[in-house]
Amino acid sequence: MERREFVASLVAGGCAGMCVDLTLFPLDTIKTRLQSQQGFYKAGGFRGIYAGVPSAAVGSFPNAAAFFVTYDFTKSLLGAGRVLAAPHVAPVTHMLAASLGEIVACLIRVPTEVVKQRTQASPSSTTYHMLVSTLREEGVRGLYRGYGSTVLREIPFSLVQFPLWEYLKTLWSWRQGHTLYSWQAAVCGAFAGAVAAFVTTPLDVAKTRIMLAKSVCGQRTEGDFHQCGRFHLSGSLREDPPHVAIAARPQ
């Protein structure tokens, strides 16, 4: 991977991720509140729709940049080998590159996601106060609450999205006889993302509830306070079946 390609992936991926995150932030807030164990209206409803946006603004650029740099570097590295360079195994290369990219990006994404989602579900609080509260009560480990579930959600998402995206681009380009325009690549990405989001929504609900477990626990009665720090997914689902909210996640 040349220096020019590295810089292009870093800047383009970071800028694209930040623009999409900030543009679609109200939809992300609605999704988080729909998936919350509290229920949509108790979590804030349509009030404070931009709660948690500072966390997204700070983390979106480095998160997206880390993903695309890792994705493109891994693709070029695997493509240099004989086995994975053949066209018929290209989807495997894309899957491996996307999976590794998600693991790296989640190191940045999860802390910002924890603060953002807890603020979204508690709009009366601010991003700064939620960050300080998390660090004071749970330490740095609290910022990585749900890291495993996030990776388990993001990898299947990428395994569906990126091979499908690359395939659609290749098919469309072959049919029209020239390289795709930007809007055509965007259409392919939108369709691939929608399919991946639909498939992985149950995993996204689990991830959201694990990250919100602390804030939900803090709202329980004193008699239930001894259960703080523990997250029972099956019990949560029985008590309050989640609304289905397709996760729109930029790449």
Side-chain angles (χ1 to χ4, degrees):
M1 188 177 185
E2 298 180 358
R3 178 180 177 83
R4 183 178 179 182
E5 295 176 335
F6 173 84
V7 174
S9 296
L10 180 70
V11 177
C15 290
M18 184 170 61
C19 290
V20 173
D21 279 347
L22 296 180
T23 302
L24 299 180
F25 191 84
L27 295 179
D28 184 70
T29 300
I30 292 173
K31 174 184 74 72
T32 298
R33 292 175 180 176
L34 285 171
Q35 293 177 346
S36 170
Q37 182 183 347
Q38 306 171 74
F40 179 69
Y41 290 104
K42 287 185 178 180
F46 293 103
R47 179 171 53 89
I49 209 72
Y50 280 95
V53 72
S55 178
V58 170
S60 59
F61 186 97
N63 164 44
F67 173 83
F68 280 104
V69 166
T70 306
Y71 177 72
D72 288 335
F73 176 77
T74 305
K75 271 204 313 181
S76 62
L77 185 65
L78 295 176
R82 293 182 178 181
V83 178
L84 296 177
H88 65 277
V89 295
V92 177
T93 301
H94 300 149
M95 289 179 181
L96 293 175
S99 298
L100 185 58
E102 292 294 357
I103 293 174
V104 172
C106 279
L107 294 174
I108 301 172
R109 179 182 304 148
V110 171
T112 59
E113 190 78 1
V114 168
V115 176
K116 181 196 67 152
Q117 290 199 322
R118 290 181 177 183
T119 308
Q120 288 173 327
S122 304
S124 59
S125 181
T126 65
T127 299
Y128 174 74
H129 288 150
M130 190 60 69
L131 173 61
V132 172
S133 174
T134 300
L135 288 174
R136 183 175 61 248
E137 297 175 15
E138 300 178 75
V140 177
R141 290 187 63 183
L143 294 178
Y144 282 91
R145 184 180 182 86
Y147 177 84
S149 62
T150 303
V151 171
L152 289 177
R153 183 262 177 183
E154 300 294 353
I155 288 181
F157 187 100
S158 295
L159 291 181
V160 175
Q161 182 189 34
F162 279 88
L164 182 57
W165 181 47
E166 300 281 4
Y167 172 76
L168 292 174
K169 288 194 300 180
T170 302
L171 181 62
W172 198 346
S173 177
W174 174 74
R175 284 182 174 274
Q176 68 181 11
H178 61 80
T179 306
L180 297 184
Y181 297 112
S182 297
W183 70 267
Q184 293 174 317
V187 170
C188 294
F191 180 80
V195 173
F198 179 81
V199 172
T200 59
T201 290
L203 298 175
D204 191 62
V205 173
K207 179 211 59 143
T208 297
R209 292 196 170 196
I210 290 173
M211 287 184 172
L212 294 179
K214 170 190 169 291
S215 59
V216 171
C217 178
Q219 297 173 7
R220 290 178 180 171
T221 61
E222 185 176 352
D224 294 332
F225 191 74
H226 66 282
Q227 295 181 1
C228 285
R230 294 187 294 174
F231 179 73
H232 302 284
L233 179 60
S234 58
S236 298
L237 293 177
R238 285 197 301 268
E239 294 168 4
D240 185 13
H243 298 278
V244 175
I246 299 299
R249 191 204 58 157
Q251 286 294 354

